[in-house]
Coordinates of all heavy atoms in Angstrom, one line a residue:
M921 N -12.7 -12.7 217.2 CA -11.5 -12.1 217.7 C -11.8 -11.2 218.8 O -12.8 -10.5 218.8 CB -10.8 -11.3 216.5 CG -9.5 -10.7 216.9 SD -8.5 -10.1 215.5 CE -8.1 -11.6 214.7
K922 N -10.9 -11.1 219.8 CA -11.1 -10.3 221.0 C -11.0 -8.8 220.6 O -10.1 -8.4 219.8 CB -10.0 -10.7 222.0 CG -10.1 -9.9 223.3 CD -9.0 -10.4 224.2 CE -9.1 -9.6 225.5 NZ -8.0 -9.9 226.4
R923 N -11.8 -8.0 221.3 CA -11.7 -6.6 221.2 C -11.2 -6.0 222.5 O -11.6 -6.5 223.5 CB -13.0 -6.0 220.8 CG -13.5 -6.3 219.4 CD -14.8 -5.6 219.2 NE -14.8 -4.2 219.5 CZ -14.9 -3.2 218.7 NH1 -15.0 -3.4 217.4 NH2 -14.8 -2.0 219.1
M924 N -10.5 -4.9 222.4 CA -10.1 -4.2 223.6 C -11.2 -3.2 223.9 O -11.6 -2.4 223.1 CB -8.8 -3.5 223.4 CG -7.6 -4.4 223.2 SD -6.0 -3.6 223.2 CE -5.9 -3.1 224.9
K925 N -11.7 -3.3 225.1 CA -12.9 -2.6 225.4 C -12.6 -1.3 226.2 O -13.5 -0.5 226.4 CB -13.9 -3.4 226.2 CG -14.4 -4.6 225.4 CD -15.3 -5.5 226.1 CE -15.7 -6.6 225.2 NZ -16.4 -7.6 225.4
Q926 N -11.4 -1.1 226.7 CA -11.1 0.0 227.5 C -10.5 1.1 226.6 O -9.6 0.8 225.8 CB -10.1 -0.4 228.6 CG -9.9 0.7 229.6 CD -9.2 0.1 230.9 OE1 -9.2 -1.1 231.1 NE2 -8.6 1.0 231.6
K927 N -10.8 2.4 226.9 CA -10.3 3.5 226.1 C -8.9 3.7 226.3 O -8.2 4.2 225.4 CB -11.1 4.8 226.4 CG -12.4 4.8 225.8 CD -13.0 6.2 226.0 CE -14.3 6.3 225.2 NZ -14.9 7.7 225.2
N928 N -8.4 3.5 227.5 CA -7.0 3.8 227.9 C -6.3 2.5 228.3 O -6.2 2.2 229.5 CB -6.9 4.8 229.0 CG -7.3 6.2 228.5 OD1 -7.0 6.6 227.5 ND2 -8.2 6.8 229.3
P929 N -5.9 1.7 227.3 CA -5.3 0.4 227.7 C -4.0 0.5 228.4 O -3.2 1.4 228.2 CB -5.2 -0.3 226.3 CG -5.1 0.8 225.3 CD -5.9 1.9 225.9
T930 N -3.7 -0.5 229.2 CA -2.4 -0.6 229.8 C -1.5 -1.5 229.0 O -2.0 -2.2 228.1 CB -2.5 -1.2 231.3 OG1 -3.0 -2.5 231.1 CG2 -3.5 -0.4 232.1
R931 N -0.2 -1.5 229.3 CA 0.7 -2.4 228.5 C 0.3 -3.8 228.7 O 0.4 -4.6 227.8 CB 2.1 -2.1 229.0 CG 3.2 -2.9 228.3 CD 3.2 -2.8 226.8 NE 3.5 -1.5 226.3 CZ 4.7 -1.1 225.8 NH1 5.7 -1.9 225.7 NH2 4.8 0.1 225.4
K932 N -0.1 -4.2 229.9 CA -0.5 -5.5 230.2 C -1.7 -6.0 229.4 O -1.7 -7.1 228.8 CB -0.8 -5.7 231.7 CG -1.1 -7.1 232.2 CD -1.3 -7.1 233.7 CE -1.6 -8.5 234.1 NZ -1.8 -8.6 235.6
M933 N -2.7 -5.1 229.2 CA -3.8 -5.3 228.4 C -3.4 -5.5 226.9 O -3.9 -6.4 226.2 CB -4.9 -4.2 228.5 CG -5.5 -4.2 229.9 SD -6.5 -2.7 230.2 CE -7.7 -2.8 228.9
I934 N -2.5 -4.6 226.5 CA -2.1 -4.6 225.1 C -1.4 -6.0 224.8 O -1.6 -6.6 223.8 CB -1.2 -3.4 224.7 CG1 -2.0 -2.1 224.8 CG2 -0.6 -3.6 223.4 CD1 -1.2 -0.9 224.8
D935 N -0.5 -6.3 225.7 CA 0.3 -7.6 225.5 C -0.6 -8.8 225.5 O -0.5 -9.7 224.7 CB 1.3 -7.7 226.7 CG 2.5 -6.8 226.6 OD1 2.7 -6.2 225.5 OD2 3.2 -6.6 227.6
A936 N -1.7 -8.8 226.4 CA -2.6 -9.9 226.4 C -3.4 -9.9 225.1 O -3.7 -11.0 224.5 CB -3.6 -9.7 227.6
F937 N -3.8 -8.8 224.6 CA -4.5 -8.7 223.3 C -3.7 -9.3 222.2 O -4.1 -10.1 221.4 CB -4.9 -7.2 223.0 CG -5.5 -7.0 221.6 CD1 -6.8 -7.4 221.3 CD2 -4.7 -6.4 220.7 CE1 -7.3 -7.1 220.1 CE2 -5.2 -6.1 219.4 CZ -6.5 -6.5 219.1
I938 N -2.4 -8.9 222.1 CA -1.5 -9.4 221.0 C -1.3 -10.8 221.2 O -1.3 -11.6 220.2 CB -0.2 -8.6 221.0 CG1 -0.5 -7.1 220.6 CG2 0.8 -9.2 220.0 CD1 0.7 -6.2 220.8
E939 N -1.1 -11.3 222.4 CA -0.8 -12.7 222.7 C -2.0 -13.6 222.2 O -1.9 -14.7 221.6 CB -0.5 -13.0 224.1 CG -0.2 -14.4 224.4 CD 0.3 -14.6 225.9 OE1 0.2 -13.6 226.7 OE2 0.6 -15.7 226.2
E940 N -3.2 -13.1 222.5 CA -4.4 -13.8 222.1 C -4.7 -13.8 220.6 O -5.0 -14.8 220.0 CB -5.7 -13.3 222.8 CG -6.9 -14.1 222.5 CD -8.1 -13.6 223.3 OE1 -8.0 -13.2 224.4 OE2 -9.2 -13.7 222.7
C941 N -4.6 -12.6 220.0 CA -5.0 -12.4 218.6 C -3.9 -12.6 217.6 O -4.1 -12.9 216.4 CB -5.6 -11.0 218.4 SG -7.0 -10.7 219.4
Y942 N -2.6 -12.4 218.0 CA -1.5 -12.5 217.1 C -0.3 -13.3 217.7 O 0.8 -12.8 217.8 CB -1.0 -11.1 216.7 CG -2.1 -10.3 216.1 CD1 -2.8 -9.4 216.8 CD2 -2.3 -10.3 214.7 CE1 -3.8 -8.6 216.3 CE2 -3.3 -9.6 214.1 CZ -4.1 -8.7 214.9 OH -5.1 -8.0 214.3
P943 N -0.6 -14.5 218.2 CA 0.4 -15.3 219.0 C 1.7 -15.5 218.2 O 2.8 -15.5 218.8 CB -0.3 -16.6 219.3 CG -1.4 -16.7 218.3 CD -1.8 -15.3 218.0
D944 N 1.6 -15.7 216.9 CA 2.8 -15.9 216.1 C 3.7 -14.7 216.0 O 4.9 -14.8 215.6 CB 2.5 -16.5 214.7 CG 1.8 -17.8 214.8 OD1 1.9 -18.5 215.8 OD2 1.1 -18.2 213.8
E945 N 3.2 -13.5 216.3 CA 3.9 -12.3 216.1 C 4.2 -11.6 217.4 O 4.6 -10.4 217.5 CB 3.2 -11.4 215.1 CG 3.2 -12.0 213.7 CD 2.5 -11.1 212.7 OE1 1.2 -11.2 212.7 OE2 3.1 -10.3 212.1
L946 N 3.9 -12.3 218.5 CA 4.0 -11.7 219.8 C 5.4 -11.1 220.1 O 5.5 -10.0 220.7 CB 3.7 -12.8 220.9 CG 3.8 -12.3 222.4 CD1 2.8 -11.3 222.7 CD2 3.6 -13.5 223.3
N947 N 6.4 -11.7 219.6 CA 7.8 -11.2 219.9 C 8.3 -10.3 218.7 O 9.4 -9.9 218.7 CB 8.7 -12.3 220.1 CG 8.4 -13.1 221.3 OD1 8.1 -12.5 222.4 ND2 8.5 -14.4 221.3
H948 N 7.4 -10.0 217.8 CA 7.8 -9.1 216.6 C 7.1 -7.8 216.6 O 7.7 -6.8 216.3 CB 7.5 -9.8 215.3 CG 8.2 -11.1 215.2 ND1 9.5 -11.2 215.0 CD2 7.8 -12.4 215.2 CE1 9.9 -12.5 214.9 NE2 8.8 -13.2 215.0
I949 N 5.8 -7.7 217.0 CA 5.1 -6.5 217.0 C 5.7 -5.5 218.0 O 5.8 -5.9 219.2 CB 3.6 -6.7 217.3 CG1 2.9 -7.5 216.1 CG2 2.8 -5.4 217.5 CD1 1.5 -7.9 216.4
L950 N 6.1 -4.4 217.5 CA 6.7 -3.4 218.3 C 5.7 -2.4 218.9 O 4.9 -1.9 218.2 CB 7.8 -2.6 217.5 CG 8.9 -3.5 216.9 CD1 9.8 -2.7 216.0 CD2 9.7 -4.2 218.0
L951 N 5.9 -2.0 220.2 CA 5.0 -1.1 220.8 C 5.8 0.2 221.2 O 7.0 0.1 221.5 CB 4.4 -1.7 222.1 CG 3.6 -3.0 221.9 CD1 3.2 -3.6 223.2 CD2 2.4 -2.6 221.0
A952 N 5.2 1.3 221.1 CA 5.8 2.6 221.4 C 5.8 2.9 222.9 O 4.7 3.0 223.5 CB 5.1 3.7 220.6
D953 N 7.0 2.9 223.5 CA 7.1 3.2 225.0 C 6.4 4.5 225.4 O 6.7 5.5 224.8 CB 8.5 3.2 225.4 CG 9.2 1.8 225.3 OD1 8.4 0.8 225.4 OD2 10.4 1.7 225.2
G954 N 5.6 4.4 226.4 CA 5.0 5.6 227.0 C 3.7 6.0 226.3 O 3.1 7.0 226.8
F955 N 3.3 5.3 225.3 CA 2.1 5.7 224.6 C 0.9 4.7 224.6 O 0.1 4.7 223.8 CB 2.4 6.1 223.1 CG 3.4 7.2 223.0 CD1 4.7 7.0 222.6 CD2 3.0 8.5 223.3 CE1 5.6 8.0 222.5 CE2 3.8 9.6 223.1 CZ 5.1 9.3 222.7
D956 N 0.9 3.9 225.7 CA -0.1 2.8 225.8 C -1.5 3.4 225.7 O -2.4 2.8 225.1 CB 0.1 2.0 227.1 CG 1.4 1.3 227.1 OD1 2.0 1.1 226.1 OD2 1.8 0.9 228.2
A957 N -1.7 4.5 226.3 CA -3.1 5.1 226.4 C -3.5 5.5 225.0 O -4.7 5.7 224.7 CB -3.1 6.3 227.3
A958 N -2.6 5.7 224.0 CA -2.9 6.1 222.6 C -3.0 4.9 221.7 O -3.3 5.0 220.5 CB -1.9 7.0 222.1
F959 N -2.9 3.7 222.2 CA -2.9 2.4 221.4 C -4.3 2.2 220.8 O -5.3 2.3 221.6 CB -2.5 1.2 222.2 CG -2.5 -0.1 221.5 CD1 -1.5 -0.4 220.7 CD2 -3.6 -1.0 221.7 CE1 -1.5 -1.7 220.0 CE2 -3.6 -2.2 221.0 CZ -2.5 -2.5 220.2
L960 N -4.4 2.0 219.5 CA -5.7 1.8 218.9 C -6.0 0.3 218.5 O -7.1 -0.1 218.5 CB -5.9 2.7 217.6 CG -5.9 4.2 217.9 CD1 -5.8 4.9 216.5 CD2 -7.1 4.6 218.7
G961 N -4.9 -0.3 218.2 CA -5.0 -1.7 217.7 C -3.9 -2.2 216.8 O -2.8 -1.5 216.8
I962 N -4.1 -3.2 216.1 CA -3.1 -3.8 215.2 C -3.7 -3.7 213.7 O -4.9 -3.9 213.5 CB -2.8 -5.2 215.5 CG1 -2.4 -5.4 217.0 CG2 -1.8 -5.8 214.5 CD1 -1.0 -4.7 217.3
G963 N -2.8 -3.4 212.8 CA -3.3 -3.3 211.4 C -2.2 -3.7 210.5 O -1.0 -3.9 210.9
S964 N -2.5 -3.9 209.2 CA -1.5 -4.2 208.2 C -2.1 -3.8 206.8 O -3.3 -3.6 206.6 CB -1.2 -5.7 208.2 OG -2.4 -6.4 207.8
S965 N -1.2 -3.7 205.9 CA -1.6 -3.5 204.5 C -1.4 -4.9 203.7 O -0.8 -5.8 204.3 CB -0.8 -2.4 203.8 OG 0.6 -2.7 203.8
H966 N -1.8 -5.0 202.5 CA -1.7 -6.2 201.8 C -0.3 -6.7 201.7 O 0.6 -5.9 201.2 CB -2.3 -6.0 200.4 CG -2.2 -7.2 199.5 ND1 -3.0 -8.3 199.7 CD2 -1.3 -7.5 198.5 CE1 -2.6 -9.3 198.9 NE2 -1.6 -8.8 198.1
G967 N 0.0 -7.8 202.2 CA 1.3 -8.4 202.2 C 2.3 -7.8 203.2 O 3.4 -8.2 203.3
G968 N 1.8 -6.9 204.0 CA 2.6 -6.3 205.0 C 2.6 -7.0 206.4 O 1.8 -7.9 206.6
K969 N 3.4 -6.6 207.3 CA 3.4 -7.1 208.6 C 2.3 -6.5 209.5 O 1.9 -5.4 209.2 CB 4.8 -6.8 209.3 CG 6.0 -7.2 208.5 CD 6.2 -8.7 208.5 CE 7.5 -9.1 207.8 NZ 7.6 -10.5 207.6
N970 N 1.9 -7.2 210.5 CA 1.0 -6.6 211.4 C 1.7 -5.7 212.3 O 2.8 -6.1 212.9 CB 0.3 -7.8 212.3 CG -0.6 -8.6 211.5 OD1 -1.5 -8.0 210.8 ND2 -0.5 -9.9 211.6
V971 N 1.2 -4.5 212.5 CA 1.9 -3.4 213.2 C 1.0 -2.8 214.2 O -0.3 -2.7 214.0 CB 2.6 -2.4 212.4 CG1 3.7 -3.0 211.5 CG2 1.6 -1.6 211.5
A972 N 1.5 -2.2 215.3 CA 0.7 -1.5 216.3 C 0.3 -0.1 215.6 O 1.1 0.5 214.9 CB 1.5 -1.2 217.5
I973 N -0.9 0.3 215.9 CA -1.4 1.6 215.5 C -1.8 2.4 216.7 O -2.4 2.0 217.6 CB -2.7 1.4 214.6 CG1 -2.3 0.5 213.4 CG2 -3.2 2.8 214.1 CD1 -3.5 0.2 212.5
Y974 N -1.3 3.7 216.6 CA -1.6 4.6 217.7 C -2.3 5.9 217.2 O -2.1 6.3 216.0 CB -0.2 5.1 218.3 CG 0.5 4.0 219.1 CD1 1.3 3.1 218.4 CD2 0.3 3.8 220.4 CE1 1.9 2.1 219.1 CE2 0.9 2.8 221.1 CZ 1.8 1.9 220.5 OH 2.4 0.9 221.1
D975 N -3.0 6.5 218.1 CA -3.7 7.8 217.8 C -2.6 8.9 217.9 O -2.1 9.2 219.0 CB -4.8 8.0 218.8 CG -5.6 9.3 218.6 OD1 -5.0 10.3 218.1 OD2 -6.7 9.4 219.0
R976 N -2.2 9.5 216.8 CA -1.1 10.5 216.9 C -1.4 11.7 217.8 O -0.6 12.1 218.6 CB -0.9 11.0 215.4 CG 0.3 11.9 215.3 CD 0.4 12.5 213.9 NE 1.7 13.2 213.8 CZ 1.9 14.5 214.2 NH1 1.0 15.1 214.9 NH2 3.1 15.0 214.0
A977 N -2.7 12.2 217.7 CA -3.0 13.4 218.5 C -3.0 13.0 220.0 O -2.6 13.8 220.8 CB -4.4 13.8 218.2
K978 N -3.4 11.8 220.4 CA -3.3 11.4 221.8 C -1.9 11.2 222.2 O -1.5 11.5 223.4 CB -4.1 10.1 222.0 CG -4.5 9.8 223.4 CD -5.6 8.8 223.5 CE -6.1 8.7 224.9 NZ -7.1 7.7 225.1
C979 N -1.0 10.8 221.3 CA 0.4 10.7 221.7 C 1.0 12.1 222.0 O 1.7 12.3 223.0 CB 1.2 10.1 220.5 SG 1.0 8.3 220.2
I980 N 0.6 13.1 221.2 CA 1.0 14.5 221.4 C 0.5 14.9 222.8 O 1.3 15.6 223.6 CB 0.6 15.4 220.3 CG1 1.1 15.0 218.9 CG2 0.9 16.8 220.6 CD1 2.6 15.0 218.8
R981 N -0.8 14.7 223.1 CA -1.3 15.1 224.4 C -0.6 14.4 225.6 O -0.4 15.1 226.6 CB -2.8 14.8 224.4 CG -3.7 15.7 223.6 CD -5.1 15.6 223.9 NE -5.7 14.3 223.7 CZ -6.2 13.8 222.6 NH1 -6.1 14.5 221.5 NH2 -6.7 12.6 222.6
I982 N -0.2 13.2 225.4 CA 0.6 12.5 226.4 C 1.9 13.3 226.7 O 2.3 13.5 227.8 CB 0.9 11.1 226.1 CG1 -0.4 10.3 226.2 CG2 2.0 10.4 227.0 CD1 -0.4 8.9 225.5
L983 N 2.6 13.7 225.6 CA 3.8 14.4 225.7 C 3.6 15.8 226.3 O 4.5 16.3 227.0 CB 4.5 14.5 224.4 CG 5.1 13.2 223.8 CD1 5.6 13.5 222.4 CD2 6.2 12.7 224.7
E984 N 2.5 16.4 226.1 CA 2.2 17.8 226.6 C 2.1 17.8 228.1 O 2.0 18.9 228.7 CB 0.9 18.3 225.9 CG 1.1 18.7 224.5 CD -0.2 19.1 223.8 OE1 -1.3 19.0 224.4 OE2 -0.1 19.6 222.6
K985 N 2.0 16.7 228.7 CA 2.0 16.7 230.2 C 3.3 17.1 230.7 O 3.4 17.6 231.9 CB 1.7 15.2 230.7 CG 0.3 14.8 230.4 CD 0.1 13.3 230.8 CE -1.3 12.8 230.4 NZ -1.4 11.4 230.7
D986 N 4.4 17.0 229.9 CA 5.7 17.4 230.4 C 6.4 18.5 229.6 O 7.6 18.8 229.8 CB 6.6 16.1 230.4 CG 6.2 15.1 231.3 OD1 5.8 15.4 232.5 OD2 6.1 13.9 231.0
M987 N 5.7 19.0 228.5 CA 6.3 20.0 227.7 C 5.2 20.8 227.0 O 4.1 20.4 227.1 CB 7.3 19.4 226.7 CG 6.7 18.3 225.8 SD 7.9 17.4 224.7 CE 8.6 16.3 225.8
S988 N 5.6 21.9 226.4 CA 4.6 22.7 225.7 C 4.1 22.0 224.5 O 4.7 21.1 224.0 CB 5.3 24.1 225.3 OG 6.2 23.9 224.2
P989 N 3.0 22.5 223.9 CA 2.4 21.9 222.7 C 3.4 21.9 221.5 O 3.5 20.9 220.8 CB 1.2 22.7 222.4 CG 0.7 23.2 223.8 CD 2.0 23.5 224.5
S990 N 4.1 23.0 221.3 CA 5.0 23.0 220.2 C 6.2 22.1 220.5 O 6.7 21.5 219.5 CB 5.5 24.5 219.9 OG 6.2 25.0 221.0
E991 N 6.7 22.1 221.7 CA 7.8 21.1 222.0 C 7.4 19.7 221.8 O 8.1 18.8 221.3 CB 8.3 21.3 223.5 CG 9.0 22.6 223.7 CD 9.3 22.9 225.2 OE1 8.5 22.5 226.0 OE2 10.3 23.5 225.4
A992 N 6.1 19.4 222.3 CA 5.6 18.0 222.1 C 5.5 17.6 220.7 O 5.9 16.5 220.3 CB 4.3 17.9 222.8
E993 N 5.0 18.5 219.8 CA 4.9 18.2 218.4 C 6.3 18.0 217.8 O 6.5 17.1 217.0 CB 4.2 19.4 217.7 CG 3.9 19.2 216.2 CD 2.8 18.2 216.0 OE1 1.8 18.2 216.6 OE2 3.0 17.3 215.1
E994 N 7.2 18.9 218.1 CA 8.6 18.7 217.5 C 9.2 17.5 218.0 O 9.8 16.7 217.2 CB 9.4 19.9 217.9 CG 10.8 19.9 217.3 CD 11.7 21.1 217.7 OE1 11.1 22.1 218.2 OE2 12.9 21.0 217.5
Y995 N 9.2 17.2 219.3 CA 9.8 16.0 219.9 C 9.2 14.7 219.2 O 9.9 13.8 218.8 CB 9.6 15.9 221.4 CG 10.1 14.7 222.0 CD1 11.4 14.6 222.4 CD2 9.3 13.5 222.1 CE1 12.0 13.5 223.0 CE2 9.9 12.4 222.7 CZ 11.2 12.3 223.1 OH 11.7 11.2 223.6
F996 N 7.8 14.7 219.2 CA 7.2 13.5 218.6 C 7.6 13.3 217.1 O 7.9 12.2 216.7 CB 5.6 13.7 218.7 CG 4.9 12.5 218.2 CD1 4.8 11.3 219.0 CD2 4.4 12.5 216.9 CE1 4.1 10.2 218.5 CE2 3.7 11.3 216.4 CZ 3.6 10.2 217.2
G997 N 7.5 14.4 216.4 CA 7.8 14.3 214.9 C 9.2 13.8 214.7 O 9.5 12.9 213.8
Y998 N 10.2 14.2 215.5 CA 11.6 13.9 215.2 C 12.0 12.6 215.9 O 12.7 11.8 215.3 CB 12.5 15.0 215.7 CG 13.9 14.8 215.5 CD1 14.5 15.0 214.2 CD2 14.8 14.3 216.5 CE1 15.8 14.8 213.9 CE2 16.1 14.1 216.2 CZ 16.6 14.4 214.9 OH 18.0 14.1 214.7
N999 N 11.5 12.4 217.1 CA 12.0 11.2 217.9 C 11.1 10.0 217.9 O 11.6 8.9 218.2 CB 12.2 11.6 219.4 CG 13.3 12.6 219.5 OD1 14.5 12.3 219.3 ND2 12.9 13.9 219.9
V1000 N 9.9 10.1 217.5 CA 9.0 9.0 217.6 C 8.5 8.7 216.1 O 8.7 7.6 215.6 CB 7.8 9.3 218.5 CG1 6.8 8.1 218.5 CG2 8.3 9.6 219.9
E1001 N 7.8 9.6 215.6 CA 7.1 9.4 214.3 C 8.1 9.1 213.1 O 7.8 8.3 212.3 CB 6.3 10.6 213.9 CG 5.3 10.4 212.8 CD 4.4 11.6 212.7 OE1 4.9 12.8 212.8 OE2 3.2 11.4 212.4
C1002 N 9.3 9.7 213.2 CA 10.3 9.5 212.1 C 11.2 8.3 212.4 O 12.1 8.1 211.6 CB 11.0 10.8 211.8 SG 10.0 12.0 211.0
A1003 N 11.1 7.7 213.5 CA 12.0 6.6 213.9 C 11.5 5.3 213.1 O 10.4 4.8 213.3 CB 12.0 6.3 215.4
Y1004 N 12.4 4.8 212.3 CA 12.1 3.5 211.6 C 12.9 2.4 212.3 O 14.2 2.5 212.4 CB 12.5 3.6 210.1 CG 12.3 2.3 209.4 CD1 11.0 1.9 209.0 CD2 13.4 1.4 209.2 CE1 10.8 0.7 208.4 CE2 13.2 0.2 208.5 CZ 11.9 -0.2 208.2 OH 11.7 -1.4 207.5
V1005 N 12.2 1.4 212.8 CA 12.9 0.4 213.6 C 12.6 -1.0 212.9 O 12.6 -2.0 213.6 CB 12.5 0.4 215.1 CG1 13.1 1.6 215.8 CG2 11.0 0.4 215.2
G1006 N 12.4 -1.0 211.6 CA 12.2 -2.3 210.9 C 10.8 -2.4 210.4 O 9.9 -1.5 210.5
D1007 N 10.5 -3.6 209.9 CA 9.2 -4.0 209.3 C 8.0 -3.8 210.3 O 6.9 -3.7 209.8 CB 9.2 -5.4 208.7 CG 10.1 -5.5 207.5 OD1 10.4 -4.5 206.9 OD2 10.5 -6.7 207.2
Y1008 N 8.3 -3.9 211.5 CA 7.2 -3.8 212.5 C 7.1 -2.4 213.2 O 6.5 -2.3 214.3 CB 7.4 -4.9 213.6 CG 7.2 -6.3 213.1 CD1 8.2 -7.1 212.5 CD2 5.9 -6.9 213.1 CE1 8.0 -8.3 212.1 CE2 5.6 -8.1 212.6 CZ 6.7 -8.9 212.1 OH 6.5 -10.1 211.6
T1009 N 7.7 -1.4 212.6 CA 7.6 -0.1 213.1 C 6.1 0.3 213.2 O 5.3 0.2 212.3 CB 8.3 0.9 212.1 OG1 9.7 0.6 212.1 CG2 8.2 2.4 212.6
P1010 N 5.7 0.9 214.4 CA 4.3 1.3 214.6 C 3.9 2.4 213.6 O 4.7 3.1 213.1 CB 4.3 1.8 216.0 CG 5.4 1.1 216.7 CD 6.5 1.0 215.6
I1011 N 2.6 2.5 213.4 CA 1.9 3.5 212.6 C 1.3 4.5 213.6 O 0.6 4.1 214.6 CB 0.8 2.9 211.7 CG1 1.5 2.0 210.7 CG2 0.0 4.0 211.1 CD1 0.5 1.2 209.9
F1012 N 1.4 5.8 213.3 CA 0.8 6.9 214.1 C -0.2 7.5 213.2 O 0.1 8.3 212.3 CB 1.8 7.8 214.6 CG 2.8 7.1 215.5 CD1 4.0 6.6 215.0 CD2 2.5 6.9 216.8 CE1 4.9 5.9 215.8 CE2 3.4 6.2 217.7 CZ 4.6 5.7 217.2
M1013 N -1.5 7.3 213.5 CA -2.6 7.6 212.6 C -3.2 9.0 213.0 O -3.4 9.3 214.1 CB -3.7 6.6 212.8 CG -4.9 6.8 211.9 SD -6.1 5.5 212.1 CE -6.9 6.0 213.6
H1014 N -3.5 9.8 211.9 CA -4.2 11.0 212.0 C -5.7 10.6 211.9 O -6.1 10.2 210.9 CB -3.9 12.0 210.9 CG -2.5 12.5 210.9 ND1 -2.2 13.7 211.5 CD2 -1.3 12.0 210.5 CE1 -0.9 13.9 211.4 NE2 -0.3 12.9 210.8
K1015 N -6.4 10.8 213.0 CA -7.8 10.4 213.0 C -8.7 11.5 212.4 O -8.4 12.7 212.5 CB -8.3 10.2 214.5 CG -7.8 8.9 215.1 CD -8.3 8.7 216.5 CE -9.7 8.3 216.5 NZ -10.2 8.0 217.9
V1016 N -9.7 11.2 211.7 CA -10.6 12.1 211.1 C -11.7 12.5 212.1 O -12.2 11.7 212.8 CB -11.3 11.5 209.9 CG1 -12.4 12.4 209.3 CG2 -10.3 11.0 208.8
G1017 N -11.9 13.8 212.2 CA -13.0 14.3 213.1 C -12.5 14.7 214.4 O -11.9 14.7 215.2

C-alpha cells in the first residue's frame, strides 16, 4: 500500500492517495476543508467506514494563523470537531507526546 511521504500533504496528494488505496470509497471519504496540512491518513474501526484522520493540534495551529489561540480552539470545537456529516465524518486525533 502506498504511503504519503510528505509532512504537509496537498489536497491533490490526498486525493491521489485515496484514489490509489481506497478506490471504492473515493466519492465517500470526506475531507475537512482547509486542513490538508493536518491530514494523517485513513482509518477505521471494526465494521466501520474508512474515514480521514487529522492531527487535531495541527488543525488548531492552522486556524491560529487568522485568530487567537482561544478563538481557534472555540471555533474548531464548535464548527469542525462537533460537526457530524454522516458515516464518513473525519476523526480529529489527539496525538500522544
Side-chain angles (χ1 to χ4, degrees):
M921 184 168 292
K922 180 180 176 186
R923 289 183 49 114
M924 293 189 70
K925 297 179 182 177
Q926 191 166 337
K927 281 189 176 186
N928 294 313
T930 64
R931 180 57 63 104
K932 186 176 180 179
M933 293 169 60
I934 295 167
D935 288 342
F937 172 75
I938 294 170
E939 185 174 2
E940 181 177 327
C941 299
Y942 303 94
D944 295 340
E945 296 178 274
L946 180 62
N947 295 319
H948 299 289
I949 293 174
L950 301 175
L951 301 174
D953 290 335
F955 297 108
D956 296 341
F959 180 80
L960 295 173
I962 304 293
S964 65
S965 61
H966 179 73
K969 306 288 186 190
N970 289 312
V971 298
I973 301 174
Y974 291 85
D975 179 335
R976 186 185 190 282
K978 200 165 189 179
C979 289
I980 300 295
R981 286 194 302 274
I982 290 168
L983 291 172
E984 287 175 353
K985 293 175 184 175
D986 297 316
M987 56 187 79
S988 73
S990 62
E991 289 172 327
E993 185 70 44
E994 182 178 346
Y995 178 89
F996 182 80
Y998 184 78
N999 294 293
V1000 180
E1001 194 170 40
C1002 288
Y1004 178 76
V1005 290
D1007 291 341
Y1008 290 91
T1009 299
I1011 293 171
F1012 299 93
M1013 182 179 81
H1014 292 264
K1015 289 178 75 173
V1016 175

